[in-house]
Amino acid sequence: MKGRELYLYDAGVRAAHGAFCGVDEAGRGPLCGPVCCAAVVLDPADPIEGINDSKKLSEKKRETLYGEIVRRAAAYKVILIGPEEIDRLNILEATMEGMRQAVAGLSPLPAFALIDGNRCPKGLALPAMSLVRGDGLSASIGAASVLAKVTRDRYMLELDRRYPQYRLAKHKGYGTRLHYELLQKYGIAPFYRRSFLKNRSFKEAVPDAGDGVPPAQHPGAGEGADA
């Protein structure tokens, strides 16, 4: 769908429910790093051209849109849930928790939430509806997908600078053949999701001389990217 069609879909949601936020995540599948959840309230009087599902956009376009969304959205919040929490809760519940925090962190709080996927997090601060493949149907969810994707990619690039042996910039943490080969060689570092590796045997990585894993708060997230 084109950007205008995504905004038309949002206009229908807004007419039925009032001001609302779109909610999406990035990073459920990788072996390491956080899952990133974002909530965005767009300003209908200031449409942002080019918003779409982040997977359909080039990296350059996502970066450009990220700046526009942060500058022009009525409200947004970005949350990072780290590997330890993912291992403790499981990835689905960690994602739901990130979405809850992202929605609750919006100021002002909208009247309604439109959630990408087939389920809504329990305990949301407001009424909500799920929308399968919503990042390609709703401009608000598309905007959230861009913020989540760019924030997580920036985080993984920072990890890559600190741990170049894992070549995270190449695979972004996904379980490629190369990634498993590097894990076998270098072992499990602190930023890995151990629950994703429980069926494989890897040694513990030797701690590096730096200050460890990048902080969960990412300076590029503006209104917040909290653990």
Side-chain angles (χ1 to χ4, degrees):
M1 293 177 71
K2 296 181 180 179
R4 183 177 180 182
E5 293 171 308
L6 272 66
Y7 268 95
L8 284 173
Y9 182 92
D10 281 13
V13 176
R14 196 173 293 108
H17 301 284
F20 77 97
C21 62
V23 184
D24 203 1
E25 54 75 27
R28 285 183 63 172
L31 306 178
C32 61
V35 63
C36 185
C37 301
V40 179
V41 180
L42 291 176
D43 179 358
D46 185 20
I48 301 170
E49 185 177 352
I51 287 180
N52 205 335
D53 174 358
S54 64
K55 297 184 293 296
K56 298 178 181 178
L57 302 170
S58 68
E59 181 178 357
K60 182 178 180 181
K61 182 64 173 177
R62 288 195 299 266
E63 285 286 347
T64 299
L65 282 171
Y66 178 96
E68 290 297 301
I69 295 164
V70 165
R71 183 169 64 87
R72 296 163 60 184
Y76 71 94
K77 184 71 174 181
V78 183
I79 297 290
L80 294 170
I81 302 293
E84 289 187 4
E85 196 73 353
I86 291 170
D87 288 341
R88 185 179 71 84
L89 294 172
N90 74 50
I91 185 59
L92 174 60
E93 290 305 319
T95 302
M96 295 295 104
E97 175 61 21
M99 288 182 170
R100 276 191 293 271
Q101 290 185 30
V103 171
L106 292 170
S107 181
L109 195 68
F112 189 75
L114 192 61
I115 313 290
D116 184 63
N118 61 3
R119 68 183 71 200
C120 295
K122 296 178 181 178
L124 279 178
L126 41 80
M129 178 182 78
S130 61
L131 181 64
V132 175
R133 297 181 181 176
D135 44 9
L137 298 172
S138 160
S140 298
I141 296 180
S145 78
V146 170
L147 293 196
K149 172 67 172 168
V150 171
T151 299
R152 188 178 189 281
D153 282 356
R154 290 177 179 180
Y155 189 98
M156 296 307 292
L157 288 175
E158 177 61 25
L159 273 181
D160 180 70
R161 284 189 283 270
R162 299 191 184 200
Y163 300 88
Q165 67 270 35
Y166 292 99
R167 299 182 67 181
L168 298 168
K170 182 177 179 63
H171 50 70
K172 298 297 194 299
Y174 284 91
T176 64
R177 180 177 179 179
L178 170 64
H179 194 182
Y180 279 117
E181 289 174 353
L182 295 171
L183 269 170
Q184 197 65 53
K185 182 176 182 179
Y186 296 109
I188 302 175
F191 52 85
Y192 275 88
R193 305 172 183 180
R194 293 174 181 271
S195 57
F196 280 46
L197 301 169
K198 60 185 178 182
N199 295 325
R200 292 173 178 258
S201 178
F202 299 106
K203 65 184 179 181
E204 294 291 326
V206 176
D208 72 349
D211 58 355
V213 183
Q217 183 163 340
H218 191 289
E223 283 297 311
D226 309 315

